Amino acid sequence: MADPQQIQRLLIEIGEDVACRHYHEPRAGVDFNLLAGLGLLTPINTRIPPCEAHGCPLLGQCEHEADFAPDSNTRTPRSNRKFRRAPKGADVAADAALLDRLASEHRLAALVAGALRGGKASVFTLAQALLEADLAQVEAGGETAPAVRRRELGAFLRLVEALGWVQFEDGGLTLRALRLPEPLMPPAGPSETA
Amino acid sequence: MGRSCAIERGNGGQHSGEHLADPGATGSFLSLVSRYRDSVGQRRFVGEDPVVHPLRDAPEEIAAAAIAAERLGGLLRLDGKAISPAEDLAVAELDAGLRALANWDVRLARWRLAIAAEHAHLPEQQQRVSLAQALAQTVRDVLYEYPGQSRVKPEAPVVALGPTLDRLPKEELDFYVEEAKRLAGLWRQAKEDVLLWTGWALTRVRTILRDGEPDAALAWLLRIYRRNRDRLTGDDYLERLVRRAEATFRLLLLAEGEDDAELRKLAEDASPHDLLVTTVAMLSQAWDTDVVQVSNRFALVLYQRTELNPERSS
Amino acid sequence: MIGGATTWASQEAERAWQELHQEPGKPKWLDVPILVRPVGELRSGRIVLEALTEDRQLLGTCAVFNGEWYPGCPGSTPYSHYAPTLYRVLLARQRREENEPLRLQVLKAVAAQTRSGRLLPVLLKFIIAPEHTLTGAQLEQVYGCPLQVFYTRFVGVSYDVLRPRDGGGDVRGRAIHEGYRRAAAEFVASGDLERARAEYLEGVRRIWIEWLTTLCLKISARPIMDHTQPLQVVDEILSYCSQRWEGQSLRLYLERLFYAPSRGISGRADRVEEPLGGGPLRLVEIKTHGIDAEQDPQTGERHPGGLQALAYREILHSFGEESAEAVVEEIQGARIKPLPLQAHPLVRRLRLDLSTRDERVVDLIAQARNIGYCVATGLFTGYDRYLLDRAGDDWRLRELGGSFELLRPWPPCQICPAQRRGVCVYGTRRAGPRLYSLFRYAPSRLFAYWAWFHRQLKAEERASRELLFHLVTTPAETLEQSEGITISRLRLAEQAGLVAVFTRDERIETRIREDDRVLVTPERRAPGQIFSVEGTVQTVGEREIALRLNDRVDPEGTYRVDLLGGYDMRQWQLEGLTDFLVSAMASTGIRGRKVLVDELPRLARILLGAERASPPGQAPAPPAPDLNATQRRALAAVLAMEPGDLLLIQGPPGTGKTSLIAHLARAALARHLFDYDGRAPQDRRPVLVLTNTHRAADEVVLKLLDRFPEVAPFVIRVGGRRADMDERVARQTLAERAGAREVLGEADLAGNGAAVLFRLIRRAQTYHDHAGIFVGTLGSADAAELRGLSFELVIVDEAGQATEPAMLQALRHLPPGYAGRLVLVGDHRQLPPVVSDELVPPPVPEAFRQLGLQAGDSLRTSAFERLARLYPHALITLTEQYRMNAPICSLVSETFYEGQLVPGTQEVAERALAGWLSRFGLSVPASSVWSGPPVVLITTEADPDARDSGARFIAGRSPDEARDNPREATIVAALLGELIGSLPPDWRAEVAREIGVISPYRRQNNRIRQELLRRDPALAAVRVDTVDRFQGGEREVIVVSLVNSNDEAAIGRLHADWRRMNVAISRARRALVIVGDRSTFTHDPGRPEEDEARRYYRALFDGIERLARQGQARVLDSRTLP
């Protein structure tokens, strides 16, 4: 459901105004962390506008509205929940084919390609690769980019499935590599294995 | 329930038309009532919530059961149906509690609302009492917390409770939620707006004087005077009253050994009531609005359940 | 209470009573225990009592007036709590129809002259029911806010586990306490500062490893005070120790149990110093955080603690240590500030004079103790909804009297769970809607359900609270001979570190077993004085007992060991039960009015029988070739569940329920793998498995690791490493996954300890973020690993063994409004929940029929059994079993499972002992019992000397009908000796390890073990145990010794529960031998409560006869054996 056309439609719909994930995610079924990871959206983490400032259609019915009220002191963090469209987002809005290149530049592309070196891998191995990446980052000790969550990995896999790189098998438990873009081609062995 | 219940016409008592309680009958009747109360208390203690039902069909049993049920805040079973015998008492206590709130008498309101909560059994009535209890918290905060403190949110209990009161008419609910927000808004505005602050301070003085605390009233009147000094110049009668009020406190600040008979004389005839009346008069003149009306804006407006209620202008 | 202490106490009481009458009108200090019974109608202002001595001799009539007034008294004391609290206790006991006399420890009384000239004794100050012990921490809580004690100690309100809550401060406190304790012990022993420093760091390291998960709760970018302070303060502590104790000879008593029977208070002071050269005892209470600090009226400085130190000093005084002094050592930042009690703000605020017996000190402690007792036991409100709601009107509980001055000036709301959950009206800072009149507006069925279980939990807690008093006031011989909970005249044989072995000459006959908590006291002292040490039992031999103690003991002198009873787990069950009441009400979204049962969330309605559980559905499941048909149906049913659904899976013996649970967990993880991103506020994870015992939790983890290794990185075993834990399971705990033992093991803590800890925490947090399957016990629902997490699917294993309140703990981790799936896996035909024997079940109200409860049910009825009765259509029974061969399977199936149970495969059906032995090149001894069919009954009904020895410890609190049967023990030994004897020596232990002997009584097991050792040392490897400890285990050969064999056909309480027999015989894979007296179990002596059990036993023996006719079983008479 996170195929390129759907992402394009969403980016066109967002246009220049503020996009709140609590409004768009349930409707478009696209994970905003992924779009941010692909560079299509940039999160608003300073002077976050309250909901009435950008005329959100859910005014009055959304449970998260209280978090963004000017004087609210709820402890839930407000960052990474409201976004604006990034320049790359505008380009994709114009031409969806760009997504293939953007996807291959995404941090997760190398990780997925690494896991699929054998042509096929279980979703657990992919998740474990993500865990190892997280641990390596902690070991390095730096507080760099926020940890990539499995939800974003799931959204990325659904996107690359729509792009035709991979295919889910036996009830979504294993992932088979079909056509990986050149820079990610595994060094040894053909991509197509029995 | 119409007015047809029988009221005795004059021949019940022994002496010359007087109705005197018969000690023996009263004693036996009340022991009957206490027997019901103890048995219900016993069963409640182990977790049950029994409906009180008369053991025999005799009139005194029914009367005793009804009185016991009313006193315990329980239900009474009469020919098969469960009746809440003290529902009207609950309504009366609720109204008394709300009126007390409107007069800023929070302690009295909490006591009456506790009784109402004890006896209300109809869901709509119960929710109305819970709403009143939340309003009591709002009125208490507006009255006793210094305006504009960020930690305090007077309207929070009512706003949080509002959506959960599903049996109250929406109009009444919205009215009180708006009312709580209005009071809280006024209270926050009073931090900066000197006129509103003065009205709020006057409210404090009026409640303090009702509870009989002259010195506290004097203190607040002095604060009002000091906050509005630039508008209150020139009237020497007011100055004299203020000097008397200040004398009561200056006496406390005297250094060791220093004794000022004149201060003590001034302090003796410091009277909060005169100072209040004069201050109100002078302030109303200075602000050319009736300051008491400004103080009354901090009073809780009660929802009137008649259809005639004019559409409130926002 | 018979003889000894009671007569002494009675004489004291009589002496004091006479003394009182000699000086009329003059209040006197007595400090003697009496028993009282109200006379006439109770009135709150004036209570007339009939006073008796402990021996029930009448002393006379006395009275208690409000305000400690007495005829001729100059004035009355306002705000005195004594009369109102006593009135409330007496009224509640009357309502509960408890007419046992109430014990009062009378501290002060007067013989007043009434107007008519008669002398009327008036009690002024007293402790109510001193036999009920309250701890120092509880006193501190009462002093802080009595209403908080009511909500947390009695009602059982606890924190919402779905809301993240930091616990770093506690771990910092524990690390400093442990380090300081070890450093002090080492310094006093060796006087060497360096070794003391090493001991300190070892203490901190041990706490950090054990409590690492709690430290993971706070997200921080760099090391914070919780990590750094324990290391910064080490130099200050060491210099303080050396400066105070350099060159002094003294003894340290560390964290010893304190108990004063005359005050009803117990507790553990951090340290008591006894100068060997004489001089006053010095009691030290260490405080590390100051949230409950007292403000000094003169200087405004804030100091924590105080009341506990005062209470422990009062305990010391009550044993006659008049000159003991107390100090509160406060650790702030890197400095220690010792503060003598005289200078403590609490003492200065209340103007207490500690040099003499100041009555205000007694008032302060008596008020906290009496109000604490009245509130925590529920006597203040009982289960009256109106009283329960009205209690919340005033945080100082004005109805119990009590001087405001003797309470903290303002309630510590910020640490009170009742305020966070909106139950307490006083919580001003709460944003959410408050639960006005929670108890009155709760639906009647929900409230009755809560009250019914709550009463039983409270009754059990009362027994354990009165144990210490019973130990101190009952002579040691009675405790040893008739109750078997004490062993006296023991000498210390050896002491290595904290493990001590005590021996004595005469045989040890006792009920004390392994893992029991015990108290070791020098015989010249009463238990609970500072000289007694707590410990747990490692082994019990014929003449020696090995214990692991908390502190070292003096080598010389004789000791006594007293049983303190098992681990007290009722508080967490209370919290589970009350969390269900509060969460169900909070998630209705309705406030301010009576809620109807149909307005509760769906899962709550199902549990309360207000809505039928939906029948199992079918959903596409991932391929599971190694599951049989019914297991696959169960897997599909769980995957088809909607949020708010309940499913019951019955797993009879050997039907592979653990592997099913492993499949369920993996399928749920796979389905929700990419759904959630662990972001606040609602961090929702795929699956949580909660079991009843740690052993079962370990088994689920092992099955997951074996069957699905690719899932291992996402599995977390909740809790820390335990002694008996498999290594692979231990590595799945969060602390070990992050490598706590290795990293902290060799790190030089003094150097960069905080940085090492911080990186360790960051790594543990990463593992925790990615985890998807959590496995733990029901008791760890509030564990740090689970805090803030809600789960799509919660599976309760061994649900048949969990009490209803324990099972409710699983609901706490379902998403808000119980919008998650609950699966109960268990078997109500196997062992029921473990509940203390003396529980008298309250009457089952008629309305409880809708709950599936019937007469005779109690806390022992598990939720699984109740719900299985209510919703048979929502129950899936696994019918293929992979343990027992065909004959044993058919015996179990026909007797206990209406014939549903069948062997899973042909190989299982045809299993035989011979086949198993031949695999090792061994053979069954020809022409012996073992060469015949797999099921053998050796009946001893005709054997005259095969009678059981009769119950021994029948007196005392909970009669243990321990019996043993020497003849059966020898038969068992003979049988096994014959089987093992025929094997080559090096194979004997190997085979013996696969043999199990089960009997219901521990004394019989001891006897069997000794008989086996006497016959063949290799038989030491045979596991001999009670049924309860065998649950879940299985062996190739099982021998059951029934023991009960007597003329009055008494089968005892353990056999009266037929489910134990089902568990016993279903442990066997290839051979089952039952040794016992058939007639005792089938003859009907007319005791109705045993009818159901006898029906099953008759079916069992008939089944064996049926198998014998088909040649699959043999019935032998015990006399034909040697």
Side-chain angles (χ1 to χ4, degrees), chain A residues 100 160 162-166 176-182 185 191-192:
Chain A
D100 199 287
V160 293
L163 291 172
W165 293 10
V166 290
R176 168 186 297 287
L178 300 178
R179 172 190 63 73
L180 291 180
E182 313 70 41
M185 289 296 288
S191 71
E192 190 67 40

Side-chain angles (χ1 to χ4, degrees), chain B residues 45, chain C residues 88 95 150 380-381 384-392:
Chain B
F45 199 83
Chain C
R88 223 27 202 264
R95 290 259 170 86
F150 170 74
F380 175 48
T381 57
D384 180 328
R385 303 166 204 225
Y386 300 80
L387 292 179
L388 285 166
D389 279 336
R390 207 177 303 144

Side-chain angles (χ1 to χ4, degrees), chain B residues 136-159:
Chain B
Q137 184 67 26
T138 300
V139 169
R140 184 243 164 245
D141 285 351
V142 166
L143 193 57
Y144 290 104
E145 298 290 346
Y146 199 84
Q149 287 177 48
S150 61
R151 191 179 51 78
V152 177
K153 292 162 70 66
E155 75 285 18
V158 179
V159 166

Side-chain angles (χ1 to χ4, degrees), chain A residues 65-135:
Chain A
E65 191 176 339
D67 294 351
F68 295 97
D71 60 353
S72 93
N73 52 18
T74 60
R75 282 201 314 273
T76 43
R78 293 188 283 198
S79 56
N80 264 328
R81 293 166 79 178
K82 295 201 173 184
F83 296 79
R84 279 200 192 289
R85 195 173 67 179
K88 277 190 193 158
D91 309 342
V92 168
D95 164 19
L98 267 172
L99 269 177
D100 199 287
R101 185 172 58 73
L102 287 177
S104 63
E105 289 156 3
H106 191 285
R107 279 182 305 179
L108 290 174
L111 183 130
V112 168
L116 288 179
R117 202 170 303 108
K120 206 154 69 102
S122 98
V123 284
F124 299 116
T125 336
L126 274 162
Q128 183 167 2
L130 193 62
L131 170 59
E132 250 86 39
D134 247 10
L135 283 174

Side-chain angles (χ1 to χ4, degrees), chain A residues 131-157:
Chain A
L131 170 59
E132 250 86 39
D134 247 10
L135 283 174
Q137 188 181 307
V138 165
E139 225 42 59
E143 194 52 55
T144 51
V148 175
R149 296 288 186 210
R150 279 207 301 265
R151 181 185 168 110
E152 189 177 348
L153 173 61
F156 181 78
L157 292 180

Side-chain angles (χ1 to χ4, degrees), chain B residues 123-183:
Chain B
E124 188 192 345
Q125 208 50 256
Q126 288 175 337
Q127 289 198 325
R128 202 163 270 128
V129 171
S130 302
L131 179 60
Q133 284 171 329
L135 283 169
Q137 184 67 26
T138 300
V139 169
R140 184 243 164 245
D141 285 351
V142 166
L143 193 57
Y144 290 104
E145 298 290 346
Y146 199 84
Q149 287 177 48
S150 61
R151 191 179 51 78
V152 177
K153 292 162 70 66
E155 75 285 18
V158 179
V159 166
L161 194 64
T164 69
L165 303 180
D166 56 346
R167 290 295 176 81
L168 288 186
K170 186 159 185 357
E171 189 198 347
E172 178 176 356
L173 198 53
D174 293 346
F175 174 85
Y176 275 123
V177 172
E178 284 318 313
E179 185 59 15
K181 284 180 178 164
R182 180 184 71 80
L183 284 178

